[in-house]
Structures are given as C-alpha cells and as structure tokens.
Amino acid sequence: MDLSSIRKLITRYCTGEESWVDSRTVYIGQKEPPPGTEAYIPQRFPDNRIVSSKYTFWNFIPKNLFEQFRRIANFYFLIIFLVQLIIDTPTSPTTSGLPLFFVITVTAIKQGYEDWIRHKADNAINQCPVHIIQHGKVVRKQSQKLRVGDIVQVKENETFPCDLILLSTSREDGTCFVTTASLDGESSHKTYYAVQDTKAFNTAEEVDTLHATIECEQPQPDLYKFVGRINIYLDRDEPIVRPLGSENLLLRGATLKNTEYIHAVAIYTGMETKMALNYQSKSQKRSAVEKSMNAYLIVYLCILISKALINTVLKYAWQANPNRDEPWYNQKTETERQRHVLIRAFTDFLAFMVLFNYIIPVSMYVTVEMQKFLGSYFILWDDDMFDEELGEGPLVNTSDLNEELGQVEYVFTDKTGTLTENNMELRECCVDGHVYVPHAICNGQILPGATGMDMIDSSPGVDGKEREELFFRALCLCHTVQVKEEETVDGIKRGIHQGKSTSFYISSSPDEVALVEGMKRLGFTYLRLKDSHMEILNREDEMERFELLEVLNFDSVRRRMSVIVRSSSGDYYLFCKGADSSVFPRVVSGKVEQVRARVEHNAVEGLRTLCVAYKKLTHEEYEETCHLLNRAKLALQDRDKKLAEAYDVIEKDFILLGATAVEDRLQDKAADTIESLHKAGMKVWVLTGDKMETAAATCYASKLFHRNTQILELTTKRTEEQSLHDVLFDLSRTVLRQHGSMTRDTFSGLSGDYQDYGLIIDGATLSAVLKPTQEVTSNGGNYKEIFLEICRNCSAVLCCRMAPLQKAQIVKMIKASKERPITLAIGDGANDVSMILEAHVGIGIMGKEGRQAARNSDYAITKFKHLKKMLLVHGHYYYIRIAELVQYFFYKNVCFIFPQFLYQFFCGFSQQPLYDTAYLTLYNISFTSLPILLYSLMEQHINMDILKRDPTLYRDIAKNSLLRWPTFIYWTFLGVFDAVVFFFGAFFLFDNTTFTSNGQMFGNWTFGTLVFTVLVFTVTLKLALDTHYWTWINHFVIWGSLLFYVIFSLLWGGIIWPFLNYQRMYYVFMQMLSSGPAWLSIILLIIVSLLPDVVKKVLCRALWPTTTERIQNADKLYKGHLSEFTPLSSLHAPPVRKHDRHGNENQNRTHRRSDSSPPKKLMCTYWGGRPDYCTFSSFLRIGENPRFSGPAYAYSTPGPETSV
C-alpha cells in the first residue's frame, strides 16, 4: 500500500466520514511546502501518455483470436476443423480449415490496420513537444513525460497537453481566450481567468519562485465542473486561500487563442484528464440485417443437426442387415467390432456434421465485412454531399451500419445549428413596449435614408430616454464578449473596414455577439475590458467606464446570467439577461405585459428572445452579496449547489427594462429535406433546448408542422391547470377518437382524409412522464405507455426545453417501444452527443458548434440537406444490396450441400462426399464469391435520380422487408428445388451409364462433377438474372468466374499433381466435356433450375407489381430516361376518397402484392416542348387485370386514385 492510500485512510477515519472528501493535493513545481505548514506527502499519479489503441505488439494475436472466436460462426467452424483432425471424417480438414483461416486472416488484417492507425495517432500526441519550467528555465519535453505538478508554458494556437490550472497570462488582466471545439463542440472563444494572486508571475523566473499547493477533487468526466482551492505561501505564516472553479481550469484538447502565452500547472494527466474520461466506449451497434443473419444461422444450424441425425439413424437402420454392415470387400477390423455402438454412432454423427457443415456460410461474414467497408467509400466519394464552403465532404466513422440507413423509421434532430444556420442577427429590441428594428419600416416599406436601428412607433419621453439608454448599457455590460482588435482572428482577416483594422467581437455564445453588435449599430459601442473595467462608447462618443465586480455566469438550469458593476459615479448595478421564463418571475416592476406580448409575438415568428432587467444595489447590499458568493466559491463540497442558492438569493426584485429578438435562419433546403423524410414514411422529432414558441415557429417554417396541423400541448403550463393524468388521457382520447386503435406509422401526415396532429412537450413534463414510480392507471397502462400511444398517432413531435440527457432518454424510450423501430439522431453540438450515441444510427453535422458531434457519430455530414440523399439513395442501395447478399449466400449453400444429403441415400450412408475436396474448399472462396461481392457494391435497381425525386420508394424496404421470414423461406425452398433438380436430373440422365462415345462408363466423381458444374453455373446465372445495373465490371466478374471454374477444372484434372497422394479427378472433367449428353444435361438442368424463379417474377410483375417493379418497368420502357420525368404528385397533393381510407393503409404497407388498387405513376414529361401526361401501368400484359385500367394513380402517396 502506497503513502497516498495510507493518507486517505487516516484522513477518512480520523477526521470523520462526513468531512472526508476524495481529493488530491498537487505541489506546484514539485516543491515541498514551507516547513511547519503541512506535511509533504507525495502522491503517485499516472504519466501523460494517452492510449486509445486496443492491441499491443505482444497481445495482438491472442487477443484478436479470442475476440474473433467469440463469434458463433467462427467458433463453430473451429470445432468442425478440430473434429476433422481428431476423427476419421469423409472430407479433408483443409476444406474447413482453409476458409476459416481466410476469414480469420482477412478480419485480423482489417482490425490490425485500424489499430495501427490508432497507434500512430497516439504516438503523434504523446511525442509532441511541450515546454516545462524547471529551475527558472523553459525546458522542452515530450508530452508523455509530463507529470502532475509541472508548470507548463503554452503559446498562442497551441493545444493544452493536459488539464491545467491557469496561473498567469501575457495579458495584464490575467485572462486568456480558449476554443474548446474538440471537447464540447463549441467553436467560439471562451474566457478563462488566472488565479488573482498569481497573475503577476509572468516570467519563467518569477513563476519558479511560486510556493503553493492545490487541493482539488479526484478526476471526473464532467467538462463543466471543477472544485478546488489553492494555498499560496508568501512571507506570512498562514497561506492565502483562493477558490478554483471551472473558469480556472484549462482542459486537454482545448486551444489557446488571441493570447501570447500562459503559465499553468498540471493537475490531471494522461488517462485521468477530462477528455480521456469522456472517451466513451461506444456500445456495439448491431444492424437489423446482422440480427436477421444470426437468426437465419440458427435455423440452418438446426437443419444441419437434423440432417446429420437423420443420416445417422438411417445408416444404422440400413446396416441392420449384416451383409450391408460388413460386405465381403470391406471387412471391419477387430478394434472396430469391439467399439461400443453409442461411440460409433456419435462418431458417425460428427462425421455427417462435418460432411454437411458447408450449409453454414462462414465466408458470408467476411464478404459482408468487405461489402460494408468498400461500400462506405461511395458516401465519401459523393460530390453532391461535398461542401464548397467548408472544403469538406461526408465522413464515415463506422461502416457496420450502412444498411441501417435504409431502415430508419424515426429521425431525432436538434434545431439550432442543425435545422438552422446558427448565424445570429439582432432583429429587434423592445424597451418598455417601444420597438426598435434594424431599419425603420412603415406599412411594410423601408423608409429611405433609414440607417442603424430605428423606432417603428412613437418616440419615448424623457424618462423613457433614460430607460432606453440604461437598456442599451445593460446589453453592453451584461455579457462575456471579448474584443479582438488585430486584423486576423484565427488566421482569417476579419473586422476590417475601409482598409483599417477595427474591433471584432468574439464570445462563447453567438447570441451575445449579435446583441453587442446590434448595440454598436445603435450607438453604444463596447470597447474592451481593461484592468477589471468595462469601457463603452455612448452616442455622444463619450467613453463610460464601469468596474466589473462580479459575473454570475449563465447555466442551463437558471437560464440567465448577471453582472454586478460600479459606475464612475459610485452606483452599484446588477444587470441580468435571460430567458423570459426565468426573468419574468423575478421582476417586481416595469411594463411586463407589453414586453411579454412582444416576446410571445417574436417567439411565434421563430426569433430567439431574451429579457433584460436590472436593480440598483446599496453598498451594504453589495457587501452582503460578495460575502454570499465568496462563501459559496470557497466550498469544496456541493459548491454548485451553494452557488445556485446564492444566485437565487441575489437575482430577484428586478425592474424589467425590455427584451431582444435574435434571428437564426433556416438552413438551405431544410424544409424540403423534412418533407421528403415524411413522404418516405419517417417520423421526425425535433429535440431542442429552445423555448416552445421559438421552436414551434421553426417547425412551421421547416414544414414539420403544417398550417392544418392540430397542435397538442403537453407542457408545464397545461399540467399546472390539470393533473398530468387528466392531460394525458384528454390527448389520448383526442388522437384516438378518429383513428380507433390504428396508428399513423404508415401515414406520416400525408393523407388528407385524416386530421394531422403535432405534439409539443417540454422537458419538465417529460421528466414527470418518464418517472419510474408511477401508479398503474385503470386501463392497465402507465404514463409512459399512454405518451407513446399519443406520439404514434402524431405526424411530428417537438420536444423543447430539453437537457442533453433528456434527448438520449427520448431516443432510448422510442427504441424500447414494442415496435422496436430503427432510430436516427442528428445534431451538431456537444449537447447532441448523448442522443447520437443512443440512437441506432448517429449522424453529426460539421457545423459552427465544433466537431464533437461529428467525432462521436457513425456518419458526419456538412449540412442537414445531405441527410436526404444519405437515407433515400445511399441507405436504399445499401439495404437492397446486403439483403440480396445474405439471402443469396444461404441460397447458394443450400444448393451446394443438399445434393450431398440426397447422395447419402444412394451410397449406403457411407459418408462418401459427392464433390472433390478442391471443389468443397473453393466453392465459397473462389467460384461464387466475387460476383455477389460486386453485385453488393454496384447494384442500382432503380436510378439514383428517381430515388431522390420519389421518397415514397423508401417505404418499399421499410421494416426489414427483404429479410422477413417469408422471403427467407422462399429462397430456402428455391435452393432445395434447385438442388433436387441438379441431383435427380443428373441421376436419371445417368440411368444409361454408357454416356461416352467409346462406351466408357461414368463414375461417381464424374457424377459429382456434373452436379457441381450445373450448380456453379445456375447460382451464378441466378445472380445475373437479378442484376439490374450492368457495367463492364459486372460482365467481367460474372463471366470471368464461370471461365475461371472451367479453366481450374481443366488444370486440376488435366495434370498429375505431385503433392497429391490421390489422383481421383484426373481426366474426369475432360471426359465429361467430351460427352454430348453431358453438355445437353448441363444446359437442360440449368434452364429447368432457373425457370420457376423466372416465371414467378414475370407473373408477379405482370399481375401484382410492387411500386419498385412498376418504376423498373417504366424505366426500361423509356430506356433509362425516366429520371428526367417530373412526378405530377409532387406538384399537386391528390385528394383522398373516403371509401379509400382503409385501402390506403394497406397500400402503404411494404410489398403488399394483393392490394385492391396498386398505385400507378403519373408523370409529366416534355416532348418537343409540350407537356405530356402518361400513365405507367404494367407493361407486361400477361393476365392484365381490368382493375388496373382507368384513371392514373398518384404516386407520392401510394394508393389514392386521382383522375386527370
């Protein structure tokens, strides 16, 4: 046990549990404190090495093998391989060992490469130089050698190497500016403060003379919380004690800006830094396709065991006759006769398992991994998703979820910076009911010559003028904005006017910059903060100075901030600005109603509103306030709670001055994207921290809510009037009155015959709904279930006043609902990370709030509008491709192994293989692997432009429709049918065994080779028939694979290979090809095998075509130019007939071929400059159904009939 542990135990048990704090003591500069002050007990802390890699050189092989064999399929094939080594089995161990080795090797190389990249990144960070002050000199060291207590010098634009406490800066006021974009996603500048008593230590020599210790909490991951205190030993007996908070803590990964240099002491290093503690090990996300694959694997494993069991039983039934058990040519040895029958039966069971084990497609996993990895590059290479302004394109952080992009049912989006641009501009001020706008407006016209901020109503009186100037001063003083006076900010020339360098504002909040710039246009210019004095320039160009005494920082709970300043005349003012809900209750006078009315009006217009208030303080009140704040700041325990209590006491009895309105514009094509997602059958929820009215206005602007949407409110205001129980049941009755128990999952607000509902809920009410300690209601459900039922029947939901954790709770709640829908979360800030990690698919936007959301996401895009193509095009393609890949793999393995099963009935269940060892080994590795891999990368069943134009096509693949059990059973039975045709077709053709012209008979290897040849050609041609998008690569791979099989067979059987101890395939393939009947049987069996699937597809396309098939038919008719057409339904929403109401639901369901009125595509084309409307119905006229003739069907809302 080390000294630190002993110290902790002594402190804990000698001082009492209630006063014990799990803290650490840091000795600045590794110096002992002066004698007699406190005991020097050095503690052991980790070095500054960062480790994000998973493997080392020594543990890679064992650790990687252990992880790979945790996968059921790999472990299963390992067991089969060991069984082949241990007992006498009908096939060589190579047949299982080689594919397994191939899969394990490819996966290990991929994972090793990814980890090598992580090692390189770690080394780059750990070996970067840092400057440390030792013995009064600046010494250069590697970052990994930094220790807790070292004093570090950091220069402008350098990144902090660990978590530091700021001691001094190059600025006289002891402040520095920092960007924390890599940590919390906020790219704007934040201000940090040096300890008041150490800010004068500016040189390395001066800093080295400092004697001090820091007591602080042990490392914890909260970026915004830090509690500590510094003891500074000067020439006096007692040390000076100062509080330390988050405003003194510089976090690893943040960057120093607009400050020449700083000196700071390391307190948390390496994996104990807050950044490292926030390395959230992302929970392994598994796609719906992967879950289907595992379910199918279990089914095939059961089939395998059944086959082996049946054959074992039948073998012993067959061998009940002694003549069959021991024929004269194959007598048993004495050892074999003495073995117990159960042991022999078990051995035979294992041998049959080995013989049939190829029904489990081990190579499918490596093919799927390669498909996902290579397929992800199509997103990276998409020029449409490249942003010229940022100079960046999309990012793929994980390729495991590509196909999940085609299965999304719920989209959860942030508002600010995601739907909007996060580019703030002051639109209006309201002072005592008088409104100011950027330009004077009269009857909707801008008055000529209007400059700056002008009033649109009557001018205030003398008193009003004073209040107006006080309001503008409040906005100039109540902020944390810093002034940058150089020409460049972060290397970009800004703030230059007429060739001259002017001041430029930087802040952690873009709202604050917008307000201060608005005041500048009005005539009140904030100049700088100098020597704790804020300087402003009034309208008369006179400089006013206010001493900044205290800053009560903004936090998301209070939703306001305050400053205490002293004017040059000695008056004390407390200015406060914040959300209306947090300011109005604390106001005792002022024109509250007029301001409240204006705030509500602006909120409805979608503007971000803030209220401004103030109160004057006497000297005694100020002293009492200082005492309250200092006592709270020095607390090591519950500091945040005590500060909140102090703020609550201080911030009250305000006089209301007015309000501001800031505009945050919608992003380009945000409304179009949301509308397309709705048409695609997705439900869009907006989760934001903004106030309800502002968020609701944004939702209307972005077409989340429509003008005919009936808004349902589940807010604190309503639950104060009624109990939560009553409100929930009222809303439930409202939405279910018309729908009955039917949900709106398939409507998404598209059907005009249904009342469109939109729900608005706030954070406080959501907390009450999600409380676990709820009594069960009379109808058997709790609040959460009722809330979910309401949400299901709403086309859109807005959640406002949300904390980051609540966003994740909502996503988790929807994920866990009984339908188990696939969810997607998209956001741009650090406050969105929790929901991005929680959702099935997380998408980050590389926006103005930094890159943390993008780094923690599965995919990253530059603009919200790119989500449309990512889901409707890339997601659609990914799902179609991998669904075909999975079904095809199981199909071709059934075709492969079922003839082997049938063969046992004709060889006395002797475990004789039907195929040669080389064919068994290479079937999945070489002969049939490349065509399906290329298909899964290149296939485009519908033109890309059509998928973008017609979002409703996304519904055809919803709810994992292509991997449902009926589809899986169809593919399995198709495989069984083909296998029966291969085997019995060849068997009956072999009835006359003299197949060759010279009268020579075919043997069992020729029979097996004939079956295998038909098998390879059939499964490859089946894939060719399923291919819609042909390129030269497809032709090369498909026909090349068949050619490779023929050439390999000719070489394998045409040469006597010296390394083989048998030559059973010698001249077999050539002999088979020399027979005319063999050629005829191969061609005939291939045609018979493929015919049922072709007939089924032709009939289904003609009689019951799906929406996708109808589009494919039309595209073929117009030779690939369908993408030039414009859907008429996108121009006019079709009316819905009442008698079609129930039919509409059926038609929206995926792959419902039996619909009574399948939709047709009504298109507007331009031939020779004149529009021509044509209807695409079934172009294959076999069995034309008279129901399909008649008026055209609108396509964007499947089902309803529209006459033209």
Side-chain angles (χ1 to χ4, degrees):
M1 186 180 291
D2 59 12
L3 291 172
S4 62
S5 302
I6 295 172
R7 184 184 181 213
K8 286 180 183 177
L9 288 173
I10 293 172
T11 308
R12 181 170 186 172
Y13 291 109
C14 293
T15 61
E17 178 68 31
E18 67 280 349
S19 62
W20 174 75
V21 180
D22 189 13
S23 62
R24 63 169 56 186
T25 302
V26 177
Y27 300 96
I28 296 180
Q30 314 293 346
K31 293 177 185 172
E32 299 180 23
T37 51
E38 64 172 284
Y40 175 61
I41 306 176
Q43 298 176 357
R44 297 180 65 182
F45 301 112
D47 60 21
N48 200 38
R49 188 182 293 112
I50 285 288
V51 180
S52 64
S53 54
K54 194 174 183 179
Y55 306 106
T56 65
F57 179 80
W58 305 107
N59 72 7
F60 174 72
I61 292 176
K63 191 173 181 180
N64 186 265
L65 287 177
F66 172 74
E67 289 181 350
Q68 289 210 57
F69 284 117
R70 287 170 66 186
R71 181 176 276 177
I72 294 173
N74 290 347
F75 184 71
Y76 162 78
F77 270 88
L78 178 65
I79 297 298
I80 292 292
F81 176 64
L82 294 176
V83 167
Q84 286 178 294
L85 289 175
I86 294 167
I87 67 170
D88 183 22
T89 56
T91 56
S92 165
T94 310
T95 58
S96 291
L98 193 61
L100 180 64
F101 176 76
F102 176 71
V103 169
I104 295 294
T105 304
V106 169
T107 308
I109 290 171
K110 175 178 175 281
Q111 293 179 349
Y113 173 73
E114 290 173 349
D115 204 62
W116 176 69
I117 296 293
R118 286 192 286 267
H119 268 285
K120 281 183 68 178
D122 288 346
N123 290 335
I125 293 171
N126 293 330
Q127 293 173 11
C128 72
V130 296
H131 297 93
I132 299 170
I133 293 178
Q134 287 183 345
H135 311 299
K137 295 181 179 178
V138 179
V139 180
R140 187 168 168 167
K141 277 188 179 181
Q142 285 187 347
S143 174
Q144 61 189 1
K145 295 180 180 177
L146 194 62
R147 293 185 302 157
V148 171
D150 285 345
I151 300 175
V152 182
Q153 185 184 78
V154 182
K155 296 181 180 177
E156 185 173 4
N157 294 322
E158 289 182 353
T159 301
F160 302 128
C162 60
D163 290 352
L164 307 163
I165 290 294
L166 182 58
L167 297 176
S168 64
T169 79
S170 59
R171 301 172 70 94
E172 292 179 6
D173 56 1
T175 60
C176 71
F177 307 126
V178 169
T179 55
T180 56
S182 60
L183 291 165
D184 58 11
E186 295 178 9
S187 57
S188 43
H189 294 62
K190 295 180 180 176
T191 308
Y192 288 82
Y193 301 90
V195 179
Q196 198 65 24
D197 298 86
T198 63
K199 68 179 184 181
F201 294 77
N202 283 324
T203 64
E205 293 80 7
E206 290 172 348
V207 172
D208 194 51
T209 62
L210 179 65
H211 272 74
T213 60
I214 292 174
E215 294 173 77
C216 61
E217 61 188 0
Q218 292 292 0
Q220 49 98 2
D222 191 337
L223 297 176
Y224 308 104
K225 184 183 176 189
F226 175 74
V227 175
R229 60 183 171 220
I230 183 170
N231 303 303
I232 304 166
Y233 300 98
L234 299 176
D235 297 333
R236 59 175 77 180
D237 295 335
E238 287 296 317
I240 299 172
V241 182
R242 292 283 182 255
L244 298 174
S246 56
E247 69 277 4
N248 309 113
L249 180 68
L250 305 171
L251 300 176
R252 177 176 193 143
T255 306
L256 183 67
K257 292 290 182 184
N258 307 321
T259 307
E260 191 179 339
Y261 65 84
I262 60 140
H263 294 115
V265 60
I267 55 161
Y268 303 133
T269 52
M271 299 308 289
E272 287 188 343
T273 59
K274 288 183 181 286
M275 183 175 80
L277 294 175
N278 274 277
Y279 286 154
Q280 214 166 7
S281 54
K282 297 179 185 176
S283 58
Q284 187 65 34
K285 294 182 179 181
R286 293 171 60 214
S287 69
V289 170
E290 190 177 342
K291 292 172 187 173
S292 297
M293 282 167 53
N294 292 338
Y296 297 163
L297 201 67
I298 292 169
V299 170
Y300 272 63
L301 193 58
C302 295
I303 293 173
L304 170 63
I305 294 169
S306 304
K307 280 184 178 181
L309 206 58
I310 290 168
N311 274 263
T312 306
V313 171
L314 290 176
K315 176 176 181 175
Y316 282 88
W318 165 265
Q319 293 177 351
N321 185 333
N323 291 329
R324 293 174 180 166
D325 189 23
E326 283 191 76
W328 60 269
Y329 57 83
N330 190 18
Q331 295 288 321
K332 290 183 179 178
T333 62
E334 193 61 34
T335 309
E336 287 175 333
R337 287 195 185 97
Q338 289 176 357
R339 288 173 70 188
H340 195 278
V341 66
L342 289 177
I343 295 176
R344 280 188 289 146
F346 181 67
T347 306
D348 284 330
F349 173 76
L350 290 179
F352 279 119
M353 286 282 287
V354 169
L355 187 63
F356 301 140
N357 83 85
Y358 302 96
I359 198 172
I360 307 293
V362 66
S363 58
M364 178 178 70
Y365 283 95
V366 73
T367 308
V368 165
E369 289 222 5
M370 290 171 68
Q371 188 268 347
K372 289 182 175 182
F373 176 71
L374 297 173
S376 63
Y377 282 94
F378 288 112
I379 290 180
L380 298 175
W381 293 335
D382 193 332
D383 289 339
D384 291 344
M385 298 172 72
F386 185 84
D387 187 81
E388 297 289 347
E389 185 183 342
L390 288 176
E392 291 186 76
L395 295 176
V396 178
N397 296 326
T398 175
S399 58
D400 293 339
L401 302 169
N402 290 346
E403 66 275 11
E404 207 81 328
L405 293 169
Q407 293 295 294
V408 175
E409 295 169 64
Y410 280 81
V411 175
F412 299 93
T413 174
D414 178 39
K415 184 182 80 71
T416 306
T418 304
L419 291 179
T420 62
E421 293 181 348
N422 200 14
N423 187 14
M424 310 300 176
E425 184 179 351
L426 181 64
R427 304 302 299 170
E428 172 182 304
C429 292
C430 173
V431 184
D432 280 350
H434 300 287
V435 180
Y436 300 77
V437 293
H439 299 282
I441 299 174
C442 181
N443 296 325
Q445 300 295 319
I446 300 177
L447 297 180
T451 58
M453 301 274 290
D454 299 296
M455 294 185 57
I456 62 169
D457 53 10
S458 58
S459 180
V462 178
D463 292 340
K465 203 75 174 172
E466 291 178 6
R467 293 284 285 263
E468 172 195 301
E469 294 192 353
L470 190 59
F471 173 84
F472 298 142
R473 286 190 182 94
L475 287 176
C476 281
L477 299 171
C478 187
H479 56 73
T480 56
V481 171
Q482 302 297 329
V483 182
K484 173 73 175 176
E485 298 191 5
E486 289 84 353
E487 281 194 8
T488 58
V489 175
D490 303 341
I492 302 170
K493 291 192 175 184
R494 303 175 79 173
I496 300 174
H497 181 64
Q498 294 179 350
K500 295 181 180 179
S501 174
T502 58
S503 61
F504 184 79
Y505 298 120
I506 50 178
S507 173
S508 59
S509 166
D511 294 75
E512 287 196 328
V513 173
L515 292 174
V516 175
E517 285 180 343
M519 294 306 102
K520 186 176 179 180
R521 288 158 61 195
L522 180 66
F524 280 80
T525 306
Y526 172 62
L527 297 176
R528 66 187 69 83
L529 174 65
K530 185 178 180 182
D531 300 331
S532 299
H533 283 75
M534 300 180 83
E535 299 177 355
I536 63 175
L537 203 65
N538 62 23
R539 283 173 173 163
E540 285 74 36
D541 286 341
E542 297 169 352
M543 191 171 73
E544 300 178 8
R545 295 191 59 177
F546 292 82
E547 184 181 358
L548 181 62
L549 302 172
E550 297 286 350
V551 178
L552 282 59
N553 285 315
F554 176 88
D555 65 66
S556 56
V557 178
R558 284 167 46 243
R559 299 188 65 82
R560 61 183 179 272
M561 75 156 292
S562 301
V563 294
I564 300 176
V565 296
R566 181 166 57 196
S567 68
S568 53
S569 60
D571 295 325
Y572 293 92
Y573 289 96
L574 190 153
F575 292 115
C576 175
K577 76 168 188 285
D580 58 321
S581 57
S582 64
V583 173
F584 281 142
R586 297 177 174 273
V587 169
V588 292
S589 67
K591 297 186 178 180
V592 178
E593 292 310 314
Q594 294 96 316
V595 174
R596 190 197 301 273
R598 197 65 199 174
V599 165
E600 290 175 357
H601 172 269
N602 288 330
V604 169
E605 294 295 319
L607 303 177
R608 298 161 66 89
T609 57
L610 284 175
C611 293
V612 182
Y614 85 105
K615 71 173 177 179
K616 265 190 165 185
L617 300 175
T618 63
H619 184 72
E620 292 73 22
E621 287 173 333
Y622 167 68
E623 292 292 339
E624 187 181 345
T625 298
C626 283
H627 179 68
L628 264 174
L629 288 173
N630 288 333
R631 191 167 59 189
K633 285 177 181 176
L634 283 173
L636 273 183
Q637 282 181 297
D638 299 326
R639 181 184 290 180
D640 289 342
K641 183 182 175 185
K642 289 174 181 175
L643 274 173
E645 291 170 355
Y647 291 162
D648 192 57
V649 172
I650 295 165
E651 295 174 321
K652 60 182 183 181
D653 302 332
F654 286 133
I655 300 169
L656 185 64
L657 285 172
T660 63
V662 172
E663 182 184 27
D664 187 9
R665 286 190 296 273
L666 270 184
Q667 279 198 21
D668 180 37
K669 295 185 181 177
D672 173 63
T673 302
I674 286 182
E675 199 168 22
S676 297
L677 298 182
H678 269 299
K679 288 180 180 177
M682 289 175 244
K683 291 197 169 185
V684 183
W685 289 34
V686 173
L687 313 181
T688 178
D690 269 1
K691 60 182 298 169
M692 188 182 84
E693 294 82 3
T694 306
T698 304
C699 289
Y700 277 110
S702 61
K703 297 186 181 177
L704 186 74
F705 294 157
H706 297 276
R707 291 301 167 193
N708 60 343
T709 302
Q710 182 177 337
I711 301 299
L712 309 175
E713 288 188 17
L714 186 56
T715 57
T716 310
K717 182 179 177 182
R718 186 163 178 190
T719 52
E720 285 171 355
E721 299 166 359
Q722 285 178 278
S723 68
L724 179 62
H725 178 277
D726 293 340
V727 174
L728 280 170
F729 272 89
D730 283 350
L731 296 178
S732 180
R733 279 194 296 269
T734 302
V735 296
L736 295 178
R737 186 180 300 124
Q738 186 179 14
H739 302 189
S741 59
M742 190 163 45
T743 66
R744 295 184 59 90
D745 280 343
T746 53
F747 298 102
S748 298
L750 292 177
S751 175
D753 201 44
Y754 282 87
Q755 174 60 55
D756 205 14
Y757 291 109
L759 177 69
I760 298 178
I761 183 171
D762 60 18
T765 313
L766 181 73
S767 299
V769 169
L770 298 182
K771 271 185 185 172
T773 55
Q774 293 169 358
E775 57 181 23
V776 176
T777 56
S778 57
N779 64 355
N782 58 23
Y783 291 163
K784 186 175 171 182
E785 290 171 357
I786 300 167
F787 173 66
L788 277 171
E789 189 63 31
I790 295 167
C791 291
R792 282 190 204 104
N793 288 281
C794 291
S795 59
V797 179
L798 166 63
C799 304
C800 48
R801 302 293 197 193
M802 289 283 119
L805 190 60
Q806 285 181 312
K807 293 184 177 184
Q809 285 175 337
I810 286 181
V811 176
K812 189 174 183 179
M813 177 186 71
I814 295 296
K815 275 174 66 180
S817 61
K818 61 185 179 184
E819 296 89 359
R820 303 284 173 181
I822 304 300
T823 58
L824 178 145
I826 179 168
D828 69 322
N831 58 336
D832 303 314
V833 169
S834 54
M835 75 168 179
I836 285 172
L837 292 176
E838 184 62 49
H840 291 97
V841 183
I843 296 185
I845 289 185
M846 296 176 276
K848 296 186 178 180
E849 291 188 32
R851 298 301 169 92
Q852 190 169 351
R855 278 203 323 277
N856 283 278
S857 62
D858 304 306
Y859 303 89
I861 54 179
T862 53
K863 292 284 189 295
F864 182 76
K865 65 180 179 181
H866 296 146
L867 183 65
K868 178 179 176 180
K869 188 172 185 183
M870 182 169 265
L871 297 184
L872 302 187
V873 177
H874 291 293
H876 198 119
Y877 282 156
Y878 283 138
Y879 178 73
I880 290 284
R881 292 164 180 171
I882 202 163
E884 176 88 9
L885 185 151
V886 171
Q887 299 282 28
Y888 178 79
F889 251 100
F890 283 108
Y891 157 78
K892 74 186 180 76
N893 277 39
V894 170
C895 293
F896 178 45
I897 217 62
F898 200 72
Q900 179 77 68
F901 172 73
L902 296 173
Y903 186 57
Q904 296 308 302
F905 289 84
F906 295 87
C907 67
F909 306 100
S910 61
Q911 298 147 15
Q912 167 67 32
L914 177 61
Y915 312 117
D916 180 60
T917 302
Y919 289 159
L920 284 169
T921 306
L922 296 178
Y923 175 73
N924 277 319
I925 292 178
S926 299
F927 300 148
T928 61
S929 59
L930 272 181
I932 183 59
L933 176 62
L934 197 77
Y935 174 96
S936 65
L937 290 172
M938 306 288 289
E939 173 63 359
Q940 294 183 22
H941 63 302
I942 294 179
N943 188 288
M944 188 182 297
D945 292 332
I946 298 174
L947 288 178
K948 276 202 296 188
R949 286 169 179 264
D950 223 323
T952 50
L953 288 170
Y954 193 86
R955 295 169 182 242
D956 273 7
I957 59 167
K959 298 188 183 296
N960 206 14
S961 62
L962 301 186
L963 287 174
R964 287 179 180 165
W965 287 105
T967 315
F968 168 70
I969 292 167
Y970 168 76
W971 278 85
T972 303
F973 274 104
L974 184 64
V976 171
F977 171 81
D978 288 352
V980 169
V981 170
F982 303 157
F983 183 82
F984 286 108
F987 179 79
F988 289 122
L989 289 167
F990 264 55
D991 198 28
N992 178 6
T993 52
T994 55
F995 246 36
T996 57
S997 56
N998 60 7
Q1000 187 175 348
M1001 294 171 61
F1002 277 179
N1004 68 314
W1005 293 116
T1006 311
F1007 176 72
T1009 304
L1010 179 63
V1011 172
F1012 191 80
T1013 303
V1014 176
L1015 162 69
V1016 170
F1017 273 79
T1018 300
V1019 297
T1020 306
L1021 291 174
K1022 158 72 175 157
L1023 189 66
L1025 288 173
D1026 285 350
T1027 302
H1028 295 93
Y1029 184 71
W1030 284 92
T1031 64
W1032 68 267
I1033 307 176
N1034 293 77
H1035 286 288
F1036 177 77
V1037 169
I1038 286 179
W1039 313 125
S1041 293
L1042 295 177
L1043 187 63
F1044 172 75
Y1045 163 69
V1046 173
I1047 293 171
F1048 173 84
S1049 298
L1050 288 170
L1051 290 173
W1052 184 244
I1055 299 173
I1056 297 177
W1057 298 98
F1059 56 84
L1060 293 178
N1061 55 9
Y1062 59 86
Q1063 300 292 333
R1064 61 192 180 202
M1065 291 299 292
Y1066 181 66
Y1067 216 65
V1068 167
F1069 195 70
M1070 279 78 81
Q1071 186 187 31
M1072 183 189 77
L1073 292 183
S1074 67
S1075 165
W1079 279 89
L1080 181 63
S1081 62
I1082 290 171
I1083 295 168
L1084 190 62
L1085 291 177
I1086 290 172
I1087 292 171
V1088 172
S1089 300
L1090 294 174
L1091 192 61
D1093 189 48
V1094 172
V1095 170
K1096 175 250 179 191
K1097 285 184 175 176
V1098 169
L1099 288 175
C1100 287
R1101 279 176 177 266
L1103 300 176
W1104 311 285
T1106 62
T1107 313
T1108 300
E1109 289 166 351
R1110 201 173 274 108
I1111 291 291
Q1112 288 170 348
N1113 292 339
D1115 203 24
K1116 286 175 186 173
L1117 181 70
Y1118 287 93
K1119 299 178 182 178
H1121 294 292
L1122 188 62
S1123 60
E1124 297 173 4
F1125 297 9
T1126 305
L1128 185 65
S1129 55
S1130 67
L1131 305 176
H1132 303 283
V1136 180
R1137 298 180 181 177
K1138 290 187 178 179
H1139 65 265
D1140 281 341
R1141 178 185 300 172
H1142 300 292
N1144 193 22
E1145 183 192 17
N1146 290 332
Q1147 290 159 7
N1148 274 289
R1149 290 182 182 167
T1150 309
H1151 284 266
R1152 184 62 59 89
R1153 294 186 182 275
S1154 58
D1155 293 348
S1156 60
S1157 53
K1160 295 184 181 179
K1161 182 77 173 182
L1162 188 62
M1163 295 289 182
C1164 168
T1165 63
Y1166 290 87
W1167 304 108
R1170 293 186 61 187
D1172 174 38
Y1173 297 101
C1174 54
T1175 303
F1176 298 132
S1177 57
S1178 306
F1179 295 105
L1180 292 165
R1181 299 293 180 183
I1182 302 171
E1184 177 80 340
N1185 192 326
R1187 291 177 305 170
F1188 299 162
S1189 59
Y1193 289 77
Y1195 177 64
S1196 72
T1197 47
E1201 194 174 275
T1202 306
S1203 300
V1204 179

